[in-house]
Amino acid sequence: TRVDAVLHFASAASPPSYLTLPIETLMTGSAGTRNALELAKRYGARFLLASTSEVYGDPHEHPQREDYWGHVNPIGPRSVYDEAKRFAEALTMAYHRTHGVDTGIVRIFNTYGERMRPDDGRVITNFVVQAIEGRPLTVYGDGSQTRSFCYVDDEVRGILALLDSGVHEPVNIGNPDEFTILELTEVVMDVVGVRPGVVFDPLPVDDPVQRCPDITRARELLGWEPTVSLREGIARTLAWIRTTRF
């Protein structure tokens, strides 16, 4: 049997999913990561861990660089995802240092596009579905918090570039264009062509105020940067959701 690469992407990833499956999420990041690393070790394969911008928590550094250690509440409700990924990164580096496993770590920022579950609870799909149905878009907090959204084609291209490289340290793969959530509602309503307005709900516990990647490392080491604008990516996502759900 030949195994060239082991890519560990298993995990609940949207807040409704990991908050419903807290222990399973932690075990995927711990026992699941070890199982995948053992497989890579056995076959001498390159191992790629799908980590996350959530390792930075509610960051005190902006934009976030890979050498920032993060600001995470280790016992809050979001910690089941944040700490699972932080542990997975630590275990991945331990296997690299101790056993010489050829490892890579991609820190994925908010990603969206075709084939997302429309009901998975992430902000872009929430907004697009609500807009299509003519319902007000649900904004948590006052909408001033920021996110950076990377279209799936760009994200996959960056991940494959990291897989094909010899880079071992974590690399941010995300779009450095930063938008407030209120700005995102405007883009979604413009693209969908309706203006149902917004409603405000309380901010979730430990929700990050800012999220934006520094992609200097990806540019320099992988020659990668995103090319699809938010408006274009949402238009593509909208077309896919309309053909599959409506």
Side-chain angles (χ1 to χ4, degrees):
T1 302
R2 174 178 169 178
V3 178
D4 296 312
V6 176
L7 287 75
H8 179 24
F9 279 72
S11 183
S14 67
S17 297
Y18 62 68
L19 293 174
T20 302
L21 301 167
I23 296 171
E24 293 86 346
T25 301
L26 284 161
M27 293 307 295
T28 300
S30 53
T33 301
R34 184 177 186 187
N35 290 339
L37 280 160
E38 282 290 330
L39 181 66
K41 175 187 169 188
R42 184 181 317 139
Y43 289 103
R46 178 154 169 83
F47 176 84
L48 185 67
L49 173 69
S51 187
T52 171
S53 61
E54 293 295 324
V55 300
Y56 301 121
D58 187 8
H60 288 172
E61 176 184 294
H62 191 75
Q64 293 81 60
R65 301 186 342 157
E66 291 90 346
D67 56 7
Y68 174 56
W69 292 354
H71 176 234
V72 175
N73 176 0
I75 59 170
R78 295 175 72 102
S79 69
V80 298
Y81 184 66
D82 301 356
E83 296 292 15
K85 292 295 190 179
R86 286 161 70 93
F87 177 84
E89 287 196 10
L91 190 61
T92 296
M93 292 307 300
Y95 265 74
H96 173 64
R97 296 184 183 111
T98 303
H99 299 300
V101 177
D102 179 13
T103 60
I105 298 171
V106 54
R107 289 181 179 161
I108 298 172
F109 282 66
N110 294 65
T111 305
Y112 70 98
E114 295 92 331
R115 296 180 177 83
M116 292 181 77
R117 287 178 15 230
D119 60 350
D120 78 347
R122 300 191 212 198
V123 66
I124 285 184
T125 44
N126 282 355
F127 284 176
V128 170
V129 170
Q130 287 173 332
I132 291 172
E133 295 177 345
R135 294 185 286 123
L137 280 54
T138 302
V139 173
Y140 296 103
D142 63 5
S144 63
Q145 68 271 33
T146 68
R147 296 293 184 271
S148 303
F149 302 99
C150 191
Y151 182 64
V152 63
D153 287 11
D154 285 332
E155 189 71 39
V156 170
R157 188 167 47 82
I159 289 167
L160 292 177
L162 179 58
L163 176 66
D164 291 338
S165 75
V167 177
H168 301 299
E169 63 262 37
V171 179
N172 292 334
I173 300 292
N175 194 315
D177 292 339
E178 184 180 10
F179 295 86
T180 69
I181 297 303
L182 282 178
E183 288 172 337
L184 175 63
T185 67
E186 291 295 322
V187 175
V188 170
M189 288 189 288
D190 285 349
V191 171
V192 178
V194 298
R195 301 206 65 81
V198 301
V199 293
F200 296 91
D201 276 358
L203 199 64
V205 176
D206 297 329
D207 193 63
V209 174
Q210 293 179 303
R211 185 58 57 74
C212 180
D214 182 312
I215 63 167
T216 302
R217 186 175 288 181
R219 284 188 174 116
E220 292 180 350
L221 298 182
L222 307 178
W224 175 87
E225 62 183 350
T227 61
V228 179
S229 71
L230 180 64
R231 187 173 295 270
E232 172 62 23
I234 289 177
R236 297 182 194 180
T237 306
L238 168 66
W240 184 81
I241 290 177
R242 275 183 164 152
T243 59
T244 58
R245 176 164 173 164
F246 296 92

